[in-house]
Amino acid sequence: MMSVKVLLGLERALRFSHALIQLRALRRLDARRTPWRAAASGLPSLAASPGPPFPCHHSRRLAKGLKRDPKVKPKQEKQEVEIRQRMTVSELARAMGKDIDHVYEALLHTSINLDSLEPDSRLQDHWIKEVVKKSGMKFKWATLTVEKDRENKDVERRPPPDPAVLVSRPPVVTIMGHVDHGKTTLLDSLRKTQVAAMEAGGITQHIGAFLVQLPSGEKITFLDTPGHAAFSAMRARGALVTDIVILVVAADDGVMKQTVESIEHAKKAKVPIIVAVNKCDKKDADPDRVKQELLAHDVVCEELGGEVQAIHVSALKGENLMQLAEATVTLAEVMELKGDPTGFAEGTVIESRTDKGKGPVSTAIIQRGTLKKGCVLVAGTSWAKVRFMFDENNRVANEAGPGAAVEIVGWKELPAAGEEILEVESEQRAREVVEWRTFVEEQEKMQADWQVIESKQQEHDDAYRKEREGLAHLSWRKRRMALHSANKHRMGSRPSEKASPTGPTLSVIVKGDVDGSVEAIMNILESYDADEQCQLDVVHCAVGDISENDIALAETFSGVIYGFNVKANKAIQQKASKLGVQLKMHKIIYKLIDDLKEELSSRLPPTVKQHIIGEATVLATFEVTMGKKKVPVAGCRVKKGELDKKMNFRLVRNEEVLWEGLLTSLKHMKNDVQTVKNGMECGLSLDKNVNFMPGDEILCLEDVKVEQKTSWDPGF
C-alpha cells in the first residue's frame, strides 16, 4: 500500500499538470489573437517560449492580466496648416492656432532677425514652412483664387470747359510776407475790420479767406497766410491756389527770411507779384532799400526797369490802399480771369478744423462749378454732403461760384488741407471713390513696407553669411559652439538695450484747432535733432479740443499734452490734475515751441562745472617730517578770493596743470585753518607728493551744478 504522503504528492502533481495544460492553451490562444500585444507591452512572447512552469496562482493572475491589457491608441496624424505666400506673423500664428510668441520661438537660432519682426511683418515662404515643421505640423498650400483687378472707381477733374460758358470771376489774391510786416493789418484796412486785434500775439496763425468788395464794386478774394517760419506749408498752399501774390515788405525792416521764401513759393506757382512796401509812415522807412534788396531775388520793380508794381502803403493809417486795390484789379483784368459756373463743383481745401457745434469744417476756394447745399463732395479719403456753407462773416451762403471762399459743413471725416475737392453724383458714388482711394493707399503702404522688410532681411542675411564665412576654418563642433555663444550674447543683450535707453524720453501729445496748425507743429518737431540728450516721442497728434482719451494716453506714456488754440473743459482739467497729467495750452506757436524746449531741458541732468574761487602764488618751498616721511610744503600768498580746504585744488605751472586733488593740510601761522582769505599767507600740502617751485599757481575750485539746455534749434 502506498503511503498517505505519496498519494498527496501524486494529487498535487496531477493538479499542477492540469493547470499547466490550461496555461499553455491560453498562451497559444492569446498569441493567435493579439500577437502584437506582448511586444507592445515589453514582455517576452509566451507563444514563442514555454518558459519555466509557474505556480497556479501566478498563472491565473498573468492570464487575467493578459486578458485585461488595455488597447494601445493608434498614432495620431499631424495637424495640417493651410499656408499661403507672404503671410504675416500674426496670420501664421492664427492659422496654426498658436500665439505670436510661438512663431518667434520657432524662429530662434535661425538667420532671421527677430528684432525686425513685428506682428504685421510678412514672412518669406521658407520661413513659413520652417515654423510649421518645427511646430510638429504639416502644411498645405491654400487654393489660389485668381482675383480680378479691381475696377478704378476714382473721380477726376472734368476736361477743360467750353470758352462760351466762361464768365468773369473775382481774382484770388494771396497776401504773403515776413512775420509782423503788416499783412493782416493791410487786409483789415481793406475790409474795415479788426482781424489783427483778434489774432493771438498779433500774428496770423491760420490761412484766412475773405471776399472783399471795393468801393468801385470789384470783388477780390483774399487769402491771408501766416508769415511765421513755422507755417511754410500753409504759405505754399496759399500760393498754389492763387492768381496774384501781394508781397508785403516792411519799409523799416527790408527783405527777411520769410519774404524770400514767399518769393520762391510765388515763382514755383508761376503767379505774378505785386509788392506792397508797408510802414512807409515810419521815420526810419526806406522803400528804395527794399526795392534794391528785392533785386537780389529777381524781383525787379517798375522804377528799376522791371514789370513788378511796387506800391508804397501804410496799412495802419490806410494810406494808398485804394492804389494797391486798383493795381490788383488792373492786373486781374490783364490776366482775363474767368471761370466755369456750370456743372459739378471743383475746388481746394485751404484749411480744416473741428468745430464744437458744426463738426468737421473746411475752408475752401471754389475753382469751377457752383457749390450748393446738398452737393456731395469728395476730398482725399473724406467725403461730405454739404449741410451748410458760411462766408467770411459767418453768414449762411446758399451757393458759391468760381473764386469764392466758403466754409463747408457736413464732412464725415476731417479732410486734409491742400486736398482737391470734387463733386460727385451721389453718396454711393462718394463711398466708392473713398473706398478705392483707401485701397490704393493700403496697397502703396504694403508695397513700401514689403520693400523695407526685404531690404532689412537682405542686410541680415548678408551679415549672417559673413559671420558663417568667418568661422569656415573651424570644425563643425567649434563652429556650432561659436555660433551658439554669439546668439546667446545677442539674446542676453536685448533686454538691457530696451531697459537702458540712451537718455531720458519726453512723450508728447499735440492737439490743434485746425489741420494746418497741427501740420506746422509736426513739421517743426521733425527737425528735432537732440536725441542723444533727450528722446522726443510724439505719441499722438490730432485736430480738436482736449478729450478724455488724450488724458488716458498721456497717463499711459507719462506724457505732456500740448494744445494749440484748443480748449479743455473743467472736467478734463480736473481729471488731468488728478492723474498728474500736464496740460500746456498756447495760442502763439513760438511760445508753444519755447515751452517744449524748456520741458526738454528740464529732463536733462545738470552738468558740473568748476569755478575758481581763489588763487594763490607759491613763494617758497620746504619739507616737513611727518613720522618717517618727508612731506613737501608750499608757502603761499593768496592773491585773489580765498582758499577753502574742503574744495578741490589745482597746481598750475607755466599754464600746464601738474596736479588736481585735495589738500591734506592748510595752516596759517602754524595753526590749522579751514579758509585763508585774500592777502594772507599760508602753508599747504597736497594729497600727492609734488615738487613745488616758486611761482607756481594754486587754484581753489568750487563744483557748481549748471542746468543743461537742449541743443535743439527749431530755427526761430
Side-chain angles (χ1 to χ4, degrees):
M1 290 184 66
M2 300 175 69
S3 65
V4 177
K5 292 183 179 180
V6 174
L7 290 173
L8 290 174
L10 288 172
E11 185 180 2
R12 288 196 192 106
L14 288 172
R15 288 178 181 175
F16 180 79
S17 299
H18 183 67
L20 186 59
I21 291 168
Q22 287 182 337
L23 179 59
R24 286 177 177 171
L26 287 172
R27 286 174 181 169
R28 286 194 294 271
L29 180 62
D30 189 67
R32 283 198 302 270
R33 289 181 177 177
T34 55
W36 49 269
R37 192 178 293 173
S41 63
L43 296 174
S45 176
L46 297 176
S49 174
F54 295 98
C56 185
H57 58 282
H58 289 300
S59 302
R60 289 190 185 120
R61 287 179 185 174
L62 182 57
K64 193 175 181 181
L66 287 171
K67 289 180 180 179
R68 295 188 180 182
D69 188 23
K71 292 185 178 180
V72 177
K73 293 181 180 180
K75 187 178 179 181
Q76 294 183 350
E77 292 189 5
K78 292 182 178 180
Q79 179 183 339
E80 193 172 58
V81 180
E82 190 176 78
I83 64 173
R84 54 185 175 79
Q85 290 183 333
R86 297 176 64 183
M87 292 181 78
T88 64
V89 175
S90 57
E91 288 172 348
L92 179 58
R94 196 159 46 246
M96 297 170 59
K98 303 287 186 180
D99 56 15
I100 293 176
D101 290 339
H102 177 84
V103 178
Y104 290 148
E105 290 173 6
L107 291 172
L108 279 175
H109 306 301
T110 63
S111 63
I112 196 168
N113 185 7
L114 293 180
D115 290 335
S116 65
L117 279 186
E118 299 293 339
D120 58 349
S121 298
R122 298 191 176 276
L123 297 170
Q124 295 180 8
D125 295 348
H126 63 280
W127 293 126
I128 296 174
K129 297 176 185 177
E130 184 76 13
V131 172
V132 174
K133 289 178 181 177
K134 284 191 174 183
S135 303
M137 304 177 186
K138 62 181 180 179
F139 63 86
K140 72 170 183 178
W141 288 102
T143 304
L144 296 178
T145 56
V146 179
E147 184 179 353
K148 295 182 179 179
D149 292 337
R150 291 185 62 167
E151 183 183 354
N152 190 336
K153 296 286 187 177
D154 206 355
V155 62
E156 297 180 353
R157 284 183 179 267
R158 291 180 288 155
D162 184 355
V165 301
L166 298 180
V167 296
S168 297
R169 64 170 177 83
V172 179
V173 180
T174 301
I175 298 180
M176 305 178 76
H178 192 70
V179 63
D180 202 29
H181 275 200
K183 300 182 298 299
T184 304
T185 306
L186 175 63
L187 192 57
D188 285 347
S189 300
L190 290 170
R191 299 179 62 213
K192 303 298 181 183
T193 60
Q194 288 296 318
V195 175
M198 299 166 61
E199 293 280 359
I203 64 173
T204 303
Q205 302 183 92
H206 311 93
I207 290 182
F210 313 98
L211 182 66
V212 175
Q213 186 167 3
L214 303 178
S216 57
E218 289 90 352
K219 294 181 179 179
I220 303 175
T221 299
F222 281 102
L223 298 182
D224 182 18
T225 63
H228 196 279
F231 298 99
S232 175
M234 288 189 186
R235 288 191 292 275
R237 279 197 295 275
L240 290 173
V241 298
T242 192
D243 301 311
I244 300 170
V245 168
I246 293 180
L247 183 65
V248 180
V249 187
D252 61 336
D253 206 7
V255 176
M256 303 297 287
K257 183 177 179 181
Q258 273 67 58
T259 310
V260 177
E261 186 189 272
S262 299
I263 293 171
E264 294 300 323
H265 287 320
K267 288 181 178 179
K268 186 176 180 180
K270 297 180 180 180
V271 294
I273 296 175
I274 297 176
V275 177
V277 185
N278 195 21
K279 302 185 181 182
C280 289
D281 56 314
K282 288 194 171 183
K283 293 181 180 180
D284 54 348
D286 189 356
D288 293 332
R289 178 174 67 91
V290 171
K291 297 173 186 177
Q292 291 292 333
E293 291 177 350
L294 288 172
L295 283 174
H297 305 285
D298 297 329
V299 179
V300 185
C301 300
E302 290 178 337
E303 294 86 343
L304 300 178
E307 298 180 352
V308 178
Q309 300 179 77
I311 313 298
H312 299 182
V313 300
S314 172
L316 193 62
K317 295 185 177 181
E319 297 175 358
N320 286 341
L321 294 186
M322 290 311 301
Q323 186 180 349
L324 176 63
E326 289 171 2
T328 305
V329 172
T330 302
L331 182 57
E333 290 176 353
V334 172
M335 296 173 68
E336 296 183 350
L337 299 174
K338 294 185 178 182
D340 175 14
T342 64
F344 286 164
E346 298 176 4
T348 301
V349 178
I350 298 298
E351 193 56 273
S352 58
R353 62 186 172 87
T354 300
D355 187 272
K356 191 172 183 180
K358 301 174 183 177
V361 179
S362 68
T363 302
I365 293 288
I366 306 304
Q367 296 165 313
R368 188 177 178 182
T370 301
L371 183 64
K372 299 178 182 179
K373 182 180 177 181
C375 290
V376 180
L377 307 177
V378 174
T381 55
S382 304
W383 70 278
K385 184 173 183 179
V386 180
R387 291 166 47 209
F388 298 102
M389 290 187 295
F390 298 91
D391 62 13
E392 69 279 0
N393 296 314
N394 206 30
R395 295 177 301 196
V396 176
N398 295 321
E399 61 180 33
V406 289
E407 277 192 351
I408 301 172
V409 179
W411 294 99
K412 305 304 176 184
E413 294 181 3
L414 201 65
E419 290 285 3
E420 181 182 66
I421 296 177
L422 298 175
E423 184 182 351
V424 294
E425 302 88 350
S426 62
E427 295 183 27
Q428 177 62 32
R429 178 74 177 112
R431 291 190 187 95
E432 289 177 356
V433 173
V434 170
E435 286 176 5
W436 168 257
R437 292 180 176 181
T438 304
F439 169 74
V440 171
E441 285 185 2
E442 290 175 351
Q443 293 299 310
E444 292 175 351
K445 182 180 181 300
M446 185 184 300
Q447 186 65 27
D449 291 346
W450 183 245
Q451 290 175 355
V452 171
I453 291 170
E454 285 185 333
S455 175
K456 288 185 176 180
Q457 189 60 51
Q458 185 62 42
E459 291 178 6
H460 185 72
D461 288 346
D462 292 343
Y464 181 75
R465 198 177 300 110
K466 187 176 180 181
E467 182 183 34
R468 294 297 297 262
E469 289 174 357
L471 303 174
H473 64 284
L474 300 176
S475 65
W476 70 269
R477 194 183 302 276
K478 291 182 178 179
R479 189 186 307 124
R480 178 170 294 181
M481 290 300 296
L483 288 173
H484 176 73
S485 177
N487 287 333
K488 186 176 180 182
H489 175 73
R490 283 196 293 266
M491 292 291 294
S493 65
R494 283 180 196 141
S496 61
E497 290 170 1
K498 292 181 180 179
S500 304
T502 54
T505 300
L506 173 62
S507 299
V508 298
I509 295 169
V510 178
K511 297 298 289 286
D513 55 342
V514 296
D515 188 65
S517 299
V518 177
E519 177 191 26
I521 295 171
M522 294 304 298
N523 286 341
I524 296 170
L525 298 186
E526 283 179 4
S527 69
Y528 185 73
D529 56 0
D531 286 314
E532 71 283 352
Q533 289 183 311
C534 180
Q535 296 182 15
L536 179 62
D537 182 18
V538 181
V539 176
H540 176 63
C541 64
V543 175
D545 291 338
I546 310 299
S547 65
E548 291 188 3
N549 289 337
D550 300 326
I551 302 297
L553 201 59
E555 183 196 14
T556 302
F557 288 91
S558 302
V560 180
I561 299 176
Y562 284 90
F564 180 71
N565 272 337
V566 295
K567 298 177 182 178
N569 59 42
K570 192 172 182 181
I572 293 294
Q573 293 179 16
Q574 290 175 349
K575 184 174 182 180
S577 177
K578 182 179 179 181
L579 297 176
V581 173
Q582 294 186 67
L583 288 178
K584 299 196 173 186
M585 319 296 281
H586 294 276
K587 292 189 175 181
I588 302 176
I589 194 165
Y590 63 79
K591 289 188 176 180
L592 184 149
I593 300 303
D594 288 343
D595 191 332
L596 177 60
K597 290 173 65 177
E598 290 179 4
E599 185 66 29
L600 286 164
S601 298
S602 69
R603 303 292 176 105
L604 305 179
T607 58
V608 178
K609 292 187 176 181
Q610 291 184 325
H611 288 267
I612 299 174
I613 62 172
E615 298 180 20
T617 304
V618 177
L619 303 177
T621 63
F622 49 92
E623 291 183 343
V624 175
T625 302
M626 297 182 64
K628 296 182 179 181
K629 296 174 65 177
K630 290 186 177 181
V631 179
V633 176
C636 308
R637 179 182 291 120
V638 181
K639 64 178 184 179
K640 186 177 179 181
E642 67 176 18
L643 305 185
D644 191 335
K645 185 180 178 182
K646 67 176 181 290
M647 299 296 177
N648 288 328
F649 285 79
R650 184 181 296 160
L651 175 63
V652 180
R653 180 181 301 159
N654 297 328
E655 299 183 355
E656 181 183 356
V657 178
L658 301 180
W659 163 88
E660 186 169 338
L662 299 172
L663 300 183
T664 55
S665 66
L666 178 64
K667 295 191 176 187
H668 174 66
M669 303 293 291
K670 298 185 179 181
N671 297 320
D672 289 324
V673 292
Q674 185 65 35
T675 60
V676 180
K677 298 189 179 296
N678 185 22
M680 298 174 62
E681 294 183 350
C682 63
L684 55 85
S685 59
L686 314 180
D687 59 2
K688 181 181 179 182
N689 288 336
V690 179
N691 294 323
F692 297 104
M693 291 183 64
D696 289 347
E697 298 288 332
I698 304 291
L699 306 180
C700 182
L701 308 171
E702 180 184 22
D703 290 339
V704 178
K705 289 185 177 181
V706 179
E707 297 295 331
Q708 284 195 74
K709 296 289 183 182
T710 179
S711 61
W712 175 43
D713 181 11
F716 55 87

